Amino acid sequence: VVGAGFGGLATVRGLRGAAVDVLLVDQHNYHLFQPLLYQVASALLDPAEVAYPTRSILHHQANADFRLGRVINVDLASRRVETDRGPLSYDYLVLAAGSVDHFFGNASLEERTHGLKSLGAALDLRNHVLRCFEEAQWTGDPVTRRRLLSFAIVGAGPTGVEYAGALSELIRLALRRDFPQLDLGGVRVHLVEAAGDVLAPFAQSLRASARRRLASMGVEVHLNAPVREVREDGIVLGDGEWLEASTVVWCGGVRASEVGKLPGVQLGRSGRIVVKPTLQLPGHAEVFVIGDMAEVRAGKTTLPMLAPVAIQAGEHAARNVLALCRGELPQRFRYRDRGIMATIGRNAGVAQLGPLHLAGFAGWVTWIFVHLALLIGFRNRLVTLVNWGWEYVLRERPIRIIASREPAPAPPPQTGRSAPLSVGWRPGDASETSRPDRGPTR
Ligand SMILES: Cc1cc2nc3c(=O)[nH]c(=O)nc-3n(C[C@H](O)[C@H](O)[C@H](O)COP(=O)(O)OP(=O)(O)OC[C@H]3O[C@@H](n4cnc5c(N)ncnc54)[C@H](O)[C@@H]3O)c2cc1C
């Protein structure tokens, strides 16, 4: 099984207790709960609350083992998976390597945006946002300060909306108190979307509710606004409009992960591998492809890249592998759609559960309970719940730590009307401008 994400883990669990040997391979030694990554990036959760060691998950499964390694190729003819650590042979293969950011060939997007697709990317983004505020405190140039405190999030799907809301709350609730000398009235949070509305898969009433809530949180939503180019100081939209921003976050799309060249394999939208209704690779009955990597057709549409799709497909792939082992025919996969949801901020969420549409507080509470239930491990659930409760009651984001290998880089050279810093300031000094943290910004 390639990939210890939602789909791969569901496959491994589905094979528990069966008379088969299971080998799980992943480039990381943890399972990552991606739906809460944006909370790591916005200083609410620690990495350990959204990532769980894969070997711990396998403790109670005697027929499963794990290898840390990156898959670089699959030799379908000789039934071998090649990794950066060496080859592995298989009788049955389940490919569940998920997806990566998709920049649609736009080099400036790839080079100049922050992602939200991995733990490392989420931590980099948290460090970067906190550093922008620290640098804004140093600079005496109002233009530089305005740019440092301007943020653009590209893509108003669930991830972009959730991060925009969380960033706005980080600034309004926590950073406002951390930086009492900074005028945060100038902070801009732009949410930029190429399509005509936010949260495209949701019903019209829920989209309108999300838009109203974002506006009340100070998020400026730009619709029908494809990004043409990302520059060092901002982004250029399709119609030539320029939005100033020192931080651009890419939530605009993903494409299927590649695990080498697979000759004869048909690729669908976003590089997903087109599979048979049984989730098997055409021409290779022993290979299953699931989750974000697979294009599973359901009538005229394809199943979305969502965790429940990956989980149900993983469970189904396990059942089909066992059927093949018994000499039976594999069954076609049927997805049971239980709904979609997103949160926008405190007391505000949207949940679409079949005909039931919940917005505001009801949507938010539904989102909380569903995500808590899906997290792996009792400790993670408990700590996450405590962190959420802590933030709710105290309006505090506890993980505001710039954690990087290197010390913080030197602030940019002072330009404009910066006053020299006085080193002798003591509490109670009469001169406001002699206080190091106030002088340059006033
Ligand atoms: C920020 C964010 C928020 C999201 N929010 C939601 C949400 O609220 N609800 C929802 O339903 N979905 C959400 N999704 C989508 C959801 O996370 C994915 O659809 C789901 O993770 C897909 O499961 P998967 O098993 O296909 O892949 P993943 O869960 O991504 O797992 C893939 C695994 O494969 C490993 N891997 C990749 N390439 C290799 C390689 N070459 N060699 C070895 N290992 C490899 C990866 O390390 C990873 O562990 C979100 C996604 C993101 C990025």
Side-chain angles (χ1 to χ4, degrees):
V1 179
V2 177
F6 288 104
L9 277 191
T11 305
V12 173
R13 285 172 165 162
L15 296 170
R16 191 184 304 178
V20 292
D21 292 323
V22 185
L23 187 60
L24 178 61
V25 191
D26 199 292
Q27 60 194 346
H28 302 297
N29 76 336
Y30 52 80
H31 164 77
L32 181 62
F33 192 84
Q34 292 179 44
L36 291 181
L37 260 186
Y38 80 94
Q39 298 202 353
V40 174
S42 56
L44 181 54
L45 293 181
D46 247 337
E49 281 132 42
V50 300
Y52 200 81
T54 308
R55 289 188 180 276
S56 297
I57 298 169
L58 300 184
H59 277 173
H60 303 292
Q61 188 162 347
N63 68 348
D65 197 1
F66 175 71
R67 289 283 186 285
L68 179 66
R70 182 174 173 73
V71 172
I72 47 182
N73 201 17
V74 179
D75 186 342
L76 294 170
S78 60
R79 299 191 180 185
R80 253 164 48 133
V81 168
E82 283 155 26
T83 76
D84 55 358
R85 307 302 312 249
L88 299 164
S89 57
Y90 63 84
D91 298 315
Y92 296 97
L93 175 68
V94 179
L95 289 175
S99 54
V100 292
D101 279 322
H102 188 11
F103 301 103
F104 304 96
N106 186 323
S108 74
L109 281 174
E110 186 162 2
E111 282 159 21
R112 298 218 171 98
T113 59
H114 292 261
L116 251 183
K117 193 65 189 127
S118 67
L119 201 49
L123 286 170
D124 281 351
L125 179 55
R126 181 185 81 188
N127 289 341
H128 174 81
V129 169
L130 296 175
R131 205 169 270 144
C132 281
F133 280 81
E134 295 294 348
E135 287 186 14
Q137 178 84 81
W138 274 98
T139 185
D141 176 22
V143 176
T144 306
R145 194 181 319 125
R146 194 184 60 213
R147 181 169 50 77
L148 284 167
L149 299 182
S150 296
F151 304 86
I153 297 135
V154 184
T159 304
V161 165
E162 289 182 339
Y163 180 65
L167 177 64
S168 161
E169 285 192 341
L170 169 68
I171 296 166
R172 286 185 306 119
L173 302 184
L175 298 184
R176 184 176 292 282
R177 277 188 275 167
D178 283 356
F179 295 90
Q181 304 87 4
L182 265 184
D183 175 12
L184 296 191
V187 170
R188 312 275 303 264
V189 178
H190 301 283
L191 179 60
V192 181
E193 169 58 49
D197 207 349
V198 301
L199 295 178
F202 288 78
Q204 167 60 30
S205 61
L206 297 179
R207 298 202 301 256
S209 164
R211 260 187 279 114
R212 280 195 300 275
R213 177 67 192 196
L214 286 165
S216 75
M217 296 167 86
V219 176
E220 297 170 49
V221 179
H222 306 258
L223 300 174
N224 299 308
V227 172
R228 190 196 295 166
E229 191 190 349
V230 181
R231 296 186 184 156
E232 232 160 73
D233 54 357
I235 57 180
V236 184
L237 302 180
D239 61 2
E241 190 189 348
W242 179 69
L243 297 179
E244 187 176 43
S246 64
T247 308
V248 182
V249 184
W250 177 247
C251 303
V254 293
R255 62 172 173 78
S257 295
E258 285 175 13
V259 286
K261 298 267 167 277
L262 300 177
V265 165
Q266 189 194 342
L267 297 184
R269 283 190 63 195
S270 308
R272 299 173 90 185
I273 294 175
V274 178
V275 291
K276 299 205 311 194
T278 53
L279 305 178
Q280 286 164 299
L281 190 64
H284 291 274
E286 73 287 358
V287 180
F288 293 81
V289 189
I290 60 171
D292 284 3
M293 272 191 89
E295 180 164 302
V296 185
R297 300 209 165 124
K300 284 186 183 155
T301 59
T302 55
L303 294 182
M305 288 166 147
L306 287 176
V309 175
I311 292 169
Q312 290 181 34
E315 292 164 350
H316 191 81
R319 282 193 292 273
N320 272 350
V321 166
L322 295 178
L324 290 175
C325 290
R326 290 190 299 266
E328 296 167 8
L329 285 176
Q331 301 296 308
R332 60 185 301 140
F333 174 56
R334 282 198 182 78
Y335 175 57
R336 291 178 305 282
D337 185 358
R338 299 203 176 95
I340 46 177
M341 55 193 70
T343 175
I344 302 130
R346 297 168 73 80
N347 301 333
V350 287
Q352 186 169 313
L353 313 168
L356 185 63
H357 293 179
L358 304 170
F361 186 71
W364 182 67
V365 171
T366 310
W367 181 93
I368 284 183
F369 281 106
V370 168
H371 283 74
L372 269 185
L374 286 174
L375 265 180
I376 290 189
F378 178 72
R379 179 198 165 275
N380 281 9
R381 283 189 203 122
L382 186 66
V383 177
T384 300
L385 187 62
V386 167
N387 271 336
W388 286 350
W390 188 273
E391 194 237 5
Y392 191 74
V393 176
L394 299 177
R395 297 172 175 257
E396 172 73 308
R397 296 244 158 179
I399 333 271
R400 301 188 308 283
I401 293 160
I402 300 175
S404 57
R405 229 172 349 158
E406 307 298 332
Q414 301 287 295
T415 51
R417 296 175 291 112
S418 73
L421 295 180
S422 160
V423 290
W425 183 85
R426 295 183 312 275
D429 259 4
S431 159
E432 275 286 289
T433 50
S434 66
R435 181 175 169 176
D437 58 0
R438 287 208 174 166
T441 58
R442 287 277 169 94

